[in-house]
């Protein structure tokens, strides 16, 4: 019987092949987006949940030291040692604790440099965190730094095997621990990134902070614990009041929350994940509704045939099973296509979703598990079919038994839902497109075309005076100019919450009290400003006559609150210094648009106050159009003698336009995905509406015929239908447009620099959906109205 049902279902799919193909493709694409977005969201929100008793594992974090791109406070996963002692007294609910610090070493193995990242911690680490030993043990190890635990990956990297107990690891000349054990690698969704674990009592860093995790007792009242932390005032030392300790707040975050709240750079990533997951769910739901619409249309056209089945002895249960087959079969085909799509998209998906850390973990990348993705896909496909059939059971039964009391209302509700989803997708897509166009077309205020960034490494800069390379580099017929910046101050940065070579306090009032605010300073070559064609608003560029001069940007001038800073002396301890502001320049965008422009100070490398501790680090070369290859060869030859173990030579030369494209990559990807899903949803909605209108006109053929006999024209009949469906379009848009506005507005607010949503966009969406419905109605009504009324009345 099942094989018979499948044959009948297959014939129905062929009969309505256009709509069936659209429905199945929509289901496949919607399910694919739903799985990829949903799994990514699950992965990001389940970091470090694999540790034993993870539900009681928390990190003590400090809020008030780090900001997100939108200016809100993030958390730092570190705790001042004074606060650690006080909090342990304040919270008797703490059952166990562990503190650790991060370490980084570069090992030389033959001709290969191996970067190892690790942690130093005592035996308490093994009481809180997972450690599956393959070889050796941690028991009995003295925490004096003479022993180290390696991960499986590191053991193979250093020794080619995990059987390396007792072997020496030369971390540096003074630190040569022996291997005491090898543990299994952690999954990629962890914030505990280490290649080795040095068993040593951790010492606080230079600002007296360490990462501290605690495990609370069972049945702890978390409300009471958090209330205590709310009232707690930090005991951190800050004699200069530079870090604003009075504004610090100590938080207790779960291991998974640490990932989301202690990494400000993830804000945009999480935003895009939510958009992708939401779009996938909506597209999938739209396709499911369309599948239900197609099924309803088919069943209502087969009313006489279904009555015949029941009359000749078919049970309601068998008819429901037949209906289930007609619903489930297209779903299975769609899920099979979705598996193929996921398989083909996985390499790109893995690359796009990879989490690349920065700082000492700059070259560490984390990837989503392929095995877990496909196992979850298989599970969700089965669950989706069961849930959908369960929800549809009573509507199918009532439809087959003709018990739906208000079938017109039911069909109209389906139309409204499809219009809602289609309009919502359309308005959000327009918002995404406007912001993407704004990002791509907005003048950055800096000329970065045909400029190559040469990264010679921070450590190399402090060993070699790289400024001497400038004359050698510029000595080439196809090089139009060379400049450089000092310290960790690239021209473009992905981390726009911090920008500059260093921070310093600038006092323009001799009566100002102790300094309590600091501004970033960019130290650059004297030709930096003309090289990048930065535009002065007032004043003049620094000269050799006054090497102590500073330049400020527009934002800095506004932030400081002075109408004019030119030639105003900078005071040090109440005394006027030689340093003055000589120029104000226009703001330029140095980071992605979601970051606000910081108040910046600029000074040249000739400034004696910075020359002693800042070094040229990044060199910028502008090449003549069409001669990039020759210039790159020239640069490689000049820098070939520089030994830099911390910078991959393949990444040493980067074109600035490529960096800008990298900044815009998330927006481009999200817009592309959303546009595809929007197109699919609009097509699905169009065919769903077309199917229901077709069904309505078939069921009202006699009414149309009688109206024609009584003198109604085609346009009168068209107006009758359009008035009815226009109300449905208006109702669907009445819900979709406000929701779309709120979603898009909230998304745009994540950018410090964003476009607007004019009213005409919403009118465009409304007229577009109205046009789709009108075209659907026009064809069906025209076909019904051109039929001979006598033939219709005679057949009824």
């Amino acid at each position: 019987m099942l094989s018979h049902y499948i044959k009948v279902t297959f014939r129905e799919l062929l009969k309505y092949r256009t709509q069936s193909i659209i429905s199945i493709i929509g289901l496949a694409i919607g399910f694919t987006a739903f799985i990829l977005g949903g799994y990514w969201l699950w992965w990001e929100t389940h970091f470090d949940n694999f540790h034993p008793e993870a539900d009681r594992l928390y990190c003590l974090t400090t809020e008030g030291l780090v900001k997100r791109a939108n200016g809100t406070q993030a958390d730092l996963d570190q705790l001042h040692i004074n606060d650690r002692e006080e909090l342990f007294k304040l919270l008797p609910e703490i059952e166990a604790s562990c503190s650790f610090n991060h370490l980084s070493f570069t090992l030389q193995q033959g001709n290969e440099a191996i970067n190892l990242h690790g942690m130093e911690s005592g035996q308490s680490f093994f009481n809180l965190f997972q450690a599956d030993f393959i070889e050796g043990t941690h028991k009995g190890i003295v925490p004096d730094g003479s022993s180290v635990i390696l991960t499986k990956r590191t053991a193979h990297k250093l020794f080619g095997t995990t059987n390396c107990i007792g072997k020496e690891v030369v971390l540096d000349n003074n630190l040569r621990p022996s291997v005491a054990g090898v543990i299994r690698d952690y999954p990629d969704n962890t914030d505990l990134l280490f290649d080795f674990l040095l068993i040593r009592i951790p010492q606080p860093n230079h600002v007296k902070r360490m990462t501290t995790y605690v495990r609370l007792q069972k049945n702890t009242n978390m409300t009471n614990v958090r209330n205590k932390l709310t009232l707690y005032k930090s005991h951190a030392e800050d004699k200069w009041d530079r870090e604003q300790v009075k504004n610090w707040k100590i938080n207790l975050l779960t291991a998974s929350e640490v990932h989301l709240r202690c990494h400000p750079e993830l804000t945009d990533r999480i935003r895009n994940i939510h958009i992708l997951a939401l779009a996938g769910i909506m597209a999938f739901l739209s396709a499911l509704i369309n599948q239900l619409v197609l099924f309803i249309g088919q069943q209502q056209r087969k009313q006489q045939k279904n009555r015949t089945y029941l009359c000749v002895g078919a049970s309601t249960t068998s008819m429901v099973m037949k209906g289930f087959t007609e619903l489930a079969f297209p779903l299975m085909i769609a899920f099979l296509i979705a598996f193929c799509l996921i398989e083909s998209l996985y390499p790109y998906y893995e690359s796009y979703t990879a989490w690349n850390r920065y700082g000492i973990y700059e070259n560490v990348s984390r990837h989503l598990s392929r095995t877990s993705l496909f196992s979850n896909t298989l599970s969700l496909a089965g669950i989706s079919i069961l849930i959908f059939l369960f929800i549809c059971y009573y509507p199918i039964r009532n439809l087959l038994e003709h018990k739906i009391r208000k079938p017109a209302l039911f069909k109209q509700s389906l139309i409204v839902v499809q219009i809602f989803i289609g309009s919502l997708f359309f308005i959000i897509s327009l918002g995404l497109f406007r912001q993407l166009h704004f990002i791509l077309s907005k003048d950055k205020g800096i000329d970065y075309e045909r400029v190559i960034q040469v990264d010679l490494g921070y450590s190399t800069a402090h060993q070699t005076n790289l400024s001497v390379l400038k004359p050698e580099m510029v000595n080439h017929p196809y090089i139009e100019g060379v400049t450089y910046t000092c310290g960790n101050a690239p021209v473009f940065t992905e981390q726009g919450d911090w920008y500059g070579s260093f921070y310093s306090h600038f006092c323009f009032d001799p009566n100002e009290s102790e300094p309590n605010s600091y501004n970033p300073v960019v130290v650059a070559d004297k030709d930096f400003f003309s090289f990048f064609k930065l535009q002065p608003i007032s004043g003049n560029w620094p000269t050799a006559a006054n090497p102590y001069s500073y330049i400020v940007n527009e934002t800095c001038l506004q932030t400081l609150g002075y109408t004019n800073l030119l030639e105003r002396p900078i005071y040090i301890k109440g005394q006027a210094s030689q340093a003055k502001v000589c120029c104000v320049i226009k703001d330029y965008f140095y980071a992605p648009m979601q970051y606000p422009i910081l108040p910046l100070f600029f000074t040249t490398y000739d400034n004696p106050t910075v020359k002693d501790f800042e070094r040229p680090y990044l060199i910028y070369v502008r090449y003549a159009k069409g001669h990039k290859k020759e210039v790159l060869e020239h640069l490689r030859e000049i820098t070939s003698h520089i030994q830099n173990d911390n910078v991959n030579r393949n990444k040493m030369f980067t074109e600035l336009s490529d960096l800008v494209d990298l900044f815009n990559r998330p927006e481009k990807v999200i817009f592309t995905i959303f546009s595809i899903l929007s197109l699919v949803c609009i097509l699905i909605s169009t065919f769903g509406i077309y199917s229901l209108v077709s069904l309505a006109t078939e069921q009202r053929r006699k009414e149309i015929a009688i109206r024609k006999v009584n003198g109604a024209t085609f346009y009168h009949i068209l107006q009758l239908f359009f008035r009815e469906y226009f109300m449905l379009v208006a109702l669907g848009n009445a819900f979709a447009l406000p929701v779309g506005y709120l979603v898009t507005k909230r998304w745009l607010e994540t950018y410090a620099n964003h476009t607007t949503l004019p009213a005409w966009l919403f009118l465009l969406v409304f007229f577009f959906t109205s046009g789709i419905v009108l075209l659907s109605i026009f064809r069906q009504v025209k076909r019904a109205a051109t039929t001979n009324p006598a033939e219709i009345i005679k057949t009824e």
Side-chain angles (χ1 to χ4, degrees):
M1 187 174 290
L2 181 60
S3 61
H4 173 69
Y5 291 160
I6 292 175
K7 289 178 183 177
V8 172
T9 302
F10 188 71
R11 284 199 294 267
E12 292 292 336
L13 290 177
L14 291 178
K15 185 176 180 181
Y16 302 101
R17 53 184 172 274
T18 302
Q19 188 168 350
S20 297
I21 290 171
I22 293 294
S23 180
I24 289 172
I25 292 175
L27 279 166
I29 293 176
F31 184 71
T32 300
F34 169 56
I35 286 294
L36 297 181
Y39 178 72
W40 189 9
L41 183 62
W42 178 90
W43 189 79
E44 295 281 3
T45 55
H46 286 75
F47 264 54
D48 286 302
N49 68 337
F50 55 84
H51 295 292
E53 299 182 286
D55 58 322
R56 296 194 285 135
L57 186 64
Y58 295 88
C59 181
L60 286 163
T61 64
T62 307
E63 179 185 322
L65 287 163
V66 184
K67 287 188 177 182
R68 299 184 181 90
N70 59 10
T72 60
Q73 293 289 343
D75 285 65
L76 182 69
D77 61 344
Q78 293 181 7
L79 191 68
H80 197 279
I81 56 173
N82 292 2
D83 289 324
R84 185 180 187 277
E85 295 173 3
E86 293 297 325
L87 289 170
F88 280 24
K89 297 175 186 177
L90 179 67
L91 302 175
E93 295 88 350
I94 294 176
E95 179 182 275
S97 67
C98 173
S99 294
F100 54 82
N101 273 330
H102 301 276
L103 304 170
S104 184
F105 296 96
T106 300
L107 281 63
Q108 200 67 33
Q109 194 173 65
N111 296 326
E112 183 184 5
I114 300 177
N115 294 318
L116 291 184
H117 307 292
M119 299 191 303
E120 60 173 1
S121 182
Q123 290 281 357
S124 58
F125 180 89
F126 304 99
N127 296 330
L128 264 66
F129 302 106
Q130 177 176 300
D132 296 332
F133 277 85
I134 301 172
E135 302 282 349
T137 180
H138 67 90
K139 297 177 181 178
I141 298 177
V142 179
D144 59 359
S146 61
S147 300
V148 68
I149 306 294
L150 302 181
T151 63
K152 179 182 177 181
R153 186 184 299 112
T154 308
H156 279 286
K157 186 186 296 184
L158 296 180
F159 303 106
T161 178
T162 57
N163 187 19
C164 54
I165 304 300
K167 293 186 178 180
E168 188 179 70
V169 179
V170 183
L171 296 176
D172 62 25
N173 293 332
N174 301 318
L175 193 58
R176 299 167 176 261
S178 59
V179 179
V182 178
I183 62 174
R184 298 188 189 281
D185 300 325
Y186 278 3
D188 272 10
N189 60 333
T190 178
D191 270 310
L192 304 180
L193 305 180
F194 62 92
D195 300 311
F196 65 89
L197 184 65
L198 185 67
I199 309 302
R200 183 170 70 182
I201 301 299
Q203 298 300 314
N205 56 25
H206 67 286
V207 287
K208 297 186 177 181
R209 291 195 289 261
M210 291 189 294
T211 302
T212 301
Y213 278 80
V214 298
R215 185 171 64 230
L216 300 185
Q217 297 172 357
K218 292 182 179 179
N219 303 319
T220 295
N221 189 325
M222 292 304 300
T223 302
N224 290 341
V225 172
R226 289 199 164 96
N227 287 340
K228 291 179 185 178
L229 291 176
T230 301
L231 299 173
Y232 177 77
K233 300 297 182 184
S234 177
H235 291 70
E237 299 172 6
D238 186 22
K239 61 182 180 179
W240 296 108
D241 197 27
R242 293 178 178 177
E243 293 190 313
Q244 296 289 292
V245 172
K246 60 186 178 185
N247 296 326
W248 286 8
K249 181 182 177 183
I250 307 300
N251 293 320
L252 198 64
L253 303 183
T254 64
S256 298
E257 288 174 333
V258 169
H259 175 68
L260 300 176
R261 292 183 54 179
C262 294
H263 299 287
E265 73 276 13
L266 290 179
T267 302
D268 305 319
R269 179 181 173 94
I270 300 300
R271 174 202 65 197
N272 290 344
I273 295 171
H274 280 100
I275 290 176
L276 180 59
L278 176 65
I281 290 172
M282 289 171 56
F284 188 43
L285 286 176
S286 179
L288 287 176
I289 291 171
N290 185 69
Q291 184 63 31
L292 185 59
V293 166
L294 179 61
F295 174 79
I296 290 171
Q298 292 171 354
Q299 296 307 314
Q300 291 198 336
R301 289 184 178 93
K302 296 188 299 183
Q303 283 183 356
Q304 191 64 41
K305 187 184 292 186
N306 290 335
R307 287 195 189 101
T308 304
Y309 282 137
L310 291 170
C311 288
V312 298
S315 65
T316 303
T317 302
S318 65
M319 294 298 291
V320 170
M321 288 299 298
K322 177 175 173 291
F324 275 179
T325 305
E326 292 182 25
L327 277 173
F329 189 66
L331 282 176
M332 290 188 217
I333 297 175
F335 289 150
L336 184 62
I337 296 173
F339 269 97
C340 297
L341 284 174
I342 293 171
E343 174 65 27
S344 60
L345 290 173
Y346 182 77
Y348 178 73
Y349 175 72
E350 183 183 37
S351 171
Y352 180 69
T353 60
W355 182 38
N356 300 304
R357 297 290 298 269
Y358 66 100
I360 65 170
Y361 296 110
E362 186 172 357
N363 296 317
V364 176
S365 182
R366 294 313 205 189
H367 300 273
L368 282 73
S369 167
R370 182 192 187 105
T371 303
S372 181
L373 171 64
F374 281 95
S375 63
N376 280 298
T377 301
L378 185 62
S379 301
L380 282 173
I383 292 170
S384 298
I385 292 175
L386 292 176
I387 292 175
F388 182 60
L389 294 181
F390 177 77
I391 293 172
C392 293
Y393 174 76
Y394 283 106
I396 291 173
R397 188 182 182 93
N398 293 336
L399 183 65
L400 294 172
E401 295 180 348
H402 312 291
K403 291 181 179 179
I404 296 181
R405 296 180 180 178
K406 295 182 179 180
L409 180 62
F410 182 64
K411 288 181 286 185
Q412 288 171 353
S413 300
L414 293 177
I415 290 177
V416 169
V417 172
Q418 289 200 307
I419 290 172
F420 168 81
I421 293 176
S423 296
L424 184 59
F425 261 102
F426 194 23
I427 189 63
I428 294 177
S429 296
L430 290 175
L432 295 181
F433 174 75
R434 279 183 62 84
Q435 179 61 17
L436 178 61
H437 180 264
F438 175 81
I439 290 172
L440 297 178
S441 61
K442 177 73 173 177
D443 181 19
K444 304 295 186 297
I446 183 171
D447 183 7
Y448 57 87
E449 296 298 331
R450 296 182 286 109
V451 176
I452 297 172
Q453 174 181 280
V454 185
D455 184 354
L456 297 173
Y458 184 81
S459 59
T460 306
H462 284 266
Q463 298 168 6
T464 309
N465 184 5
L466 300 177
S467 63
V468 299
L469 295 176
K470 180 180 176 180
E472 294 183 59
M473 289 183 174
V474 81
N475 187 23
H476 190 278
Y478 297 133
I479 290 181
E480 297 178 352
V482 177
T483 190
Y484 56 80
T485 56
C486 303
N488 188 16
V491 171
F492 292 126
T493 174
E494 287 188 85
Q495 307 303 324
D497 54 339
W498 193 96
Y499 183 72
S501 305
F502 63 92
Y503 267 68
S504 183
H505 176 73
F506 291 90
C507 176
F508 295 93
D509 185 351
N511 299 318
E512 184 177 343
S513 58
E514 285 290 336
N516 54 21
S517 64
Y518 287 78
N519 293 102
V521 182
V522 177
V523 180
D525 175 34
K526 58 183 175 58
D527 297 326
F528 173 85
F529 310 99
S530 58
F531 179 91
F532 285 106
K533 300 179 182 177
L534 300 181
Q535 301 177 31
I537 297 175
S538 59
N540 299 297
W541 299 120
T543 62
N546 189 3
Y548 296 92
S549 296
Y550 285 86
I551 296 170
V552 298
N553 64 353
E554 288 178 275
T555 299
C556 184
L557 182 64
Q558 295 166 5
T559 303
L560 292 174
Y562 294 98
T563 55
N564 185 14
L565 275 178
L566 298 183
E567 299 305 319
R568 183 188 291 268
I570 296 174
Y571 292 86
I572 301 176
K573 295 181 180 181
Q575 300 295 320
S577 68
Q578 294 176 278
K580 294 180 180 180
V581 173
C582 65
C583 186
V584 178
I585 62 172
K586 286 186 177 180
D587 291 332
Y588 66 90
F589 291 97
Y590 52 81
M593 289 287 189
Q594 57 265 30
Y595 290 96
I597 296 174
L598 295 174
L600 298 175
F601 279 80
F602 297 82
T603 192
T604 65
Y605 185 53
D606 295 332
N607 190 331
T609 60
V610 301
K611 198 165 187 175
D612 291 337
F613 65 90
E614 289 296 338
R615 294 289 185 272
Y617 169 25
L618 295 159
I619 300 178
Y620 297 93
V621 179
R622 190 182 301 276
Y623 60 88
K625 188 175 182 179
H627 296 285
K628 178 180 177 180
K629 182 178 179 181
E630 297 94 321
V631 169
L632 279 173
E633 291 176 356
H634 174 66
L635 295 177
R636 288 192 178 98
E637 182 181 352
I638 288 177
T639 58
S640 61
H641 68 283
I642 296 177
Q643 298 296 323
N644 186 357
D645 298 331
N646 295 322
V647 178
N648 187 323
R649 292 200 69 86
N650 294 327
K651 297 181 179 180
M652 186 179 290
F653 307 98
T654 308
E655 190 151 10
L656 289 186
S657 57
D658 292 339
L659 285 179
V660 175
D661 289 340
L662 182 65
F663 296 165
N664 299 332
R665 183 189 179 198
E667 280 70 29
K668 289 180 178 178
V669 171
I670 285 297
F671 173 70
T672 302
I673 293 172
F674 217 92
S675 297
I676 293 171
L677 293 177
S678 296
L679 181 61
V680 169
C681 278
I682 290 169
L683 282 174
I684 289 172
S685 299
T686 301
F687 275 89
I689 293 168
Y690 182 84
S691 176
L692 290 175
V693 171
S694 175
L695 181 61
T697 54
E698 282 185 26
Q699 292 174 337
R700 296 172 66 179
R701 285 188 307 166
K702 188 173 182 180
E703 176 191 343
I704 294 172
I706 293 172
R707 288 181 180 275
K708 283 189 66 178
V709 170
N710 289 325
T713 64
F714 165 71
Y715 293 104
H716 287 141
I717 298 171
L718 181 64
Q719 185 180 23
L720 175 70
F721 275 81
F722 184 68
R723 187 186 303 118
E724 176 185 341
Y725 285 96
F726 180 79
M727 296 301 296
L728 300 180
V729 173
L731 185 60
N733 279 286
F735 289 101
L737 297 184
V739 173
Y741 171 76
L742 292 174
V743 171
T744 310
K745 181 174 180 291
R746 186 171 180 181
W747 180 76
L748 289 175
E749 286 174 349
T750 62
Y751 294 84
N753 308 278
H754 59 79
T755 186
T756 57
L757 293 174
W760 63 264
L761 281 181
F762 300 90
L763 292 175
L764 176 64
V765 172
F766 179 75
F767 286 124
F768 181 79
T769 51
S770 299
I772 289 175
V773 173
L774 178 60
L775 289 174
S776 301
I777 294 169
F778 183 84
R779 180 175 179 183
Q780 293 298 324
V781 173
K782 183 178 181 180
R783 186 170 64 179
T786 54
T787 307
N788 189 343
E791 294 294 329
I792 296 174
I793 295 173
K794 184 169 61 176
T795 57
E796 288 291 334

